[in-house]
Amino acid sequence: MNFKWLPNALTIARCVFAGLLLLGFWQALSLDPAEAGLSADDSAVRTTLQQLWYQFAFLAFLSGALTDFLDGWLARQLDAHSRFGVWLDPIADKLLIAAALICLSIQFRSWLIYIPAAMIIARDVFITWFRATPKGSAVIVPSNMAKWKTGFEMAAIIGMMLPLAIFAPDPQRLQGEEVSLAVLAIVFAVVGLLWVAAILSWQTAWQYMKAALRPKG
């Protein structure tokens, strides 16, 4: 049987998982356990439902990230390369990352996330446009730095989404309590990974631009 369609199907699935991630966060954020006028039982039900939607979003992201590995691996194993796949694959990657960053920015509402998220999304939009130009299409080849950037992005996003999926949300849990140094260290490490990814993203963009503008001959 001919399975050369599988890599492109997985790439399309990654776009679907990006949409499911947005759906999960939208549903979770609409369920506020601290809403005024709710009974204790209603609040508990909302807390449980909210956590389930966070878990749904987290699994959607992990599934999308898995397709990113599988479609490339299958394309090599099946020798299935197409212009459509080459065009859609980087767009699907960027859609998944952008969806996660937008959701996390809305969730945490901090400039420590707003700024690197905006840097990464802006860079990805720019590179998507640049790739469509004649000069860009000739020079944009994934580099080791770009792979490191993707790794830092994935680690940061998973690090921020995992607590939402594991722990029942409780906005008042830390009010009036001291946050341990270990928790603070983990938070700063995860946010730091996002900043590193943002910086690397624009370094790779600058590398592509220099290669495109370099005089030939």
Side-chain angles (χ1 to χ4, degrees):
M1 295 181 65
N2 186 353
F3 292 102
K4 291 191 174 184
W5 54 270
L6 272 176
N8 285 346
L10 288 172
T11 302
I12 294 171
R14 188 152 66 257
C15 298
V16 174
F17 283 126
L20 293 176
L21 189 157
L22 289 170
L23 173 65
F25 263 91
W26 180 73
Q27 292 284 2
L29 292 171
S30 68
L31 294 166
D32 183 6
E35 184 177 324
L38 292 177
S39 66
D41 288 342
D42 288 340
S43 181
V45 169
R46 284 201 171 202
T47 296
T48 301
L49 288 175
Q50 188 179 56
Q51 187 178 14
L52 288 173
W53 279 113
Y54 281 130
Q55 292 170 351
F56 176 86
F58 182 60
L59 290 175
F61 179 78
L62 289 182
S63 300
L66 181 61
T67 65
D68 187 20
F69 165 76
L70 287 178
D71 63 3
W73 180 79
L74 280 174
R76 291 188 295 271
Q77 295 298 314
L78 300 172
D79 192 25
H81 303 284
S82 66
R83 293 181 62 183
F84 176 76
V86 170
W87 170 77
L88 184 62
D89 183 70
I91 293 177
D93 295 344
K94 292 170 177 56
L95 280 176
L96 183 67
I97 295 294
L101 291 176
I102 289 171
C103 290
L104 290 170
S105 297
I106 296 173
Q107 171 69 43
F108 293 109
R109 302 178 185 179
S110 169
W111 65 270
L112 289 172
I113 297 175
Y114 290 155
I115 294 176
M119 288 173 63
I120 291 171
I121 293 172
R123 178 265 187 194
D124 286 349
V125 171
F126 169 74
I127 288 297
T128 300
W129 166 81
F130 188 55
R131 190 188 294 271
T133 65
K135 286 188 175 181
S137 62
V139 301
I140 296 185
V141 178
S143 62
N144 287 331
M145 186 182 294
K147 293 177 182 177
W148 277 103
K149 181 266 298 183
T150 301
F152 283 126
E153 284 175 348
M154 293 291 185
I157 291 171
I158 290 173
M160 286 187 280
M161 292 183 68
L162 187 59
L164 296 172
I166 293 178
F167 302 110
D170 187 355
Q172 299 180 353
R173 178 181 295 170
L174 296 178
Q175 289 186 4
E177 299 180 8
E178 290 187 4
V179 180
S180 70
L181 290 178
V183 172
L184 285 176
I186 293 172
V187 170
F188 280 109
V190 171
V191 174
L193 287 175
L194 188 63
W195 277 87
V196 171
I199 293 168
L200 288 178
S201 69
W202 278 100
Q203 285 185 327
T204 57
W206 176 238
Q207 285 182 341
Y208 298 144
M209 287 295 296
K210 284 197 302 182
L213 298 175
R214 187 179 299 132
K216 297 181 179 179

